Amino acid sequence: MIVEPISLGQRGVVLATLVIGLVLSLMPMSLGMAAWRPDWQLLVLFYWLLALPHRVNIGVAFILGAIVDVLLGTTLGIHAAAYSLVAYPVVRHYQRLRHFSLLQQSSLIGVLVGLARAITFIIEHYLNNATLLSNYFWPVLSSAFVWPWLYLILRKIRHRFHIR
Amino acid sequence: MQPTRMVLNSIVSPVQYLATLPEQTFSRLSENLQSRRQMRHELSQLRTQMLDMQGEMQRYQFLKLENERLRRLLASDAREDSLRMVTEVIAVDGDSFLHEVVVNKGTVNGVFIGQPVLDENGVVGQISSVGLTTARVLLISDQSHAIPTRSERSGIRVVVQGVGQTNALEVMHVPHSTELEVGDLLLSSGLGGVFPEGYPVAVIEDIDRDLTLPFAQVTARPVASLDRIRMLLLVWQASAEQQPVYNPVQQLRERMRGEDSENDS
């Protein structure tokens, strides 16, 4: 496949959406709401993995995970590992996933978000003896719920800036 | 690893500041839109509160002097004063395994690792890592955190550990014959060398003297409302080598000027 060069501005748009995702997941909220907060940065990453698999790849997932590690103060590499692992099936099967209906996509995205969380928990459990709280997997539901809207918005942005 | 963390923390701190921006603008906006009457009401309320405090303060000064005198009579060291700085919480982790918050003061303000952090009610935690303009506070409710305390009533020393919940702490290794009672206030004992002595930490909520277990199961509730923290106090000992920097920009300018004059001479 021939990869056309991409302008700096278009790169900036992709980067900006990822940063906005990070900001949304860090924004202070009341604890009750925060328990339901979707993993925004992961959802944005999934979108770009699906839309531009030749540009946004597992390496980007790894770097994003490392940034999340620094932001959350977790042991470096936990989120990086989790994000790279869940990025793999998306990059591997992006052509199939693109033809799924939004409903199918969002349930699959929910499973992947849950998988990322499970991997994070398992590593945390071995390293820091973390215990599982009942609300840990709630964001799986909210992430699956917001996916169709996020998908449509990001597709609009992608078409608007002709990012291919 | 620590310097790497510091550099990385400093690099990502803009994202953290960006994340608090909407909330800050919103609260500033709502402050601006407050009605005059409401403001006046609040002002008068604050004035009476301040008068109350000042009255208490006079008594406190008197008691402090008296306490110092008495301690000197007993030939023990006078308690040293501590310096404080107000800081604001700018990020709370959604990550439920780690009870940490990020505050908007860093090494430029003289913040150091292991520094005790309080709020208006009691002990909140200690600094676990610092960046240039941000620092992470490990809360006393974190699973990896334990704090040495002393019961206010009976003077019994116990260690209070976090269990990963913001509203519960565990009191460790308490013998069944203990004199602790439900409702006892636990004060920091100052034994670990991290926290200064005498700040409220937790109130005992439940004691289960199940004799089949080696120790009594004692749970306590933190005095500080850990799930609602916004403004925090950083504490420095007056004699410690690290000192607070209230106005980092000014200090930097002064230092540069000082170096200039040294070069001139």
Side-chain angles (χ1 to χ4, degrees), chain A residues 27 31 71-72 74 121 131, chain B residues 5 19 93 97 136 143 227:
Chain A
M27 215 183 273
L31 275 184
L71 281 171
L72 295 183
T74 44
F121 168 72
T131 45
Chain B
R5 271 267 173 198
D93 294 343
F97 304 132
R136 308 188 71 87
Q143 284 174 320
D227 49 346

Side-chain angles (χ1 to χ4, degrees), chain A:
Chain A
M1 188 167 64
I2 300 159
V3 178
E4 292 170 34
I6 186 169
S7 81
L8 216 63
Q10 288 168 328
R11 263 172 222 272
V13 171
V14 177
L15 203 68
T17 54
L18 284 171
V19 170
I20 290 170
L22 282 173
V23 165
L24 280 175
S25 357
L26 281 179
M27 215 183 273
M29 279 179 160
S30 68
L31 275 184
M33 287 286 284
W36 284 99
R37 173 170 19 214
D39 286 345
W40 291 107
Q41 76 284 24
L42 197 54
L43 294 179
V44 176
L45 175 75
F46 280 147
Y47 177 78
W48 291 120
L49 284 173
L50 273 181
L52 312 167
H54 52 290
R55 299 194 194 281
V56 178
N57 47 31
I58 295 178
V60 175
F62 185 86
I63 293 166
L64 183 75
I67 294 172
V68 171
D69 277 326
V70 177
L71 281 171
L72 295 183
T74 44
T75 311
L76 270 184
I78 292 184
H79 285 91
Y83 286 11
S84 345
L85 282 171
V86 294
Y88 176 73
V90 180
V91 179
R92 179 77 182 74
H93 298 292
Y94 70 95
Q95 277 163 331
R96 197 174 306 168
L97 291 181
R98 277 180 192 170
H99 292 286
F100 277 9
S101 71
L102 274 182
L103 208 66
Q104 279 173 310
Q105 266 186 16
S106 63
S107 50
L108 195 80
I109 292 294
V111 170
L112 288 175
V113 169
L115 189 63
R117 289 198 153 241
I119 294 167
T120 322
F121 168 72
I122 289 166
I123 306 176
E124 279 277 2
H125 181 70
Y126 276 110
L127 290 179
N128 304 329
N129 274 328
T131 45
L132 196 59
L133 296 174
S134 59
N135 59 8
Y136 182 63
F137 285 106
W138 288 356
V140 171
L141 295 178
S142 56
S143 296
F145 182 75
V146 297
W147 171 257
W149 284 275
L150 191 81
Y151 181 84
L152 294 175
I153 291 168
L154 285 176
R155 192 170 65 173
K156 191 119 195 171
I157 292 173
R158 187 168 67 89
H159 288 173
R160 171 80 181 69
F161 291 97
H162 307 290
I163 306 170
R164 268 177 296 136

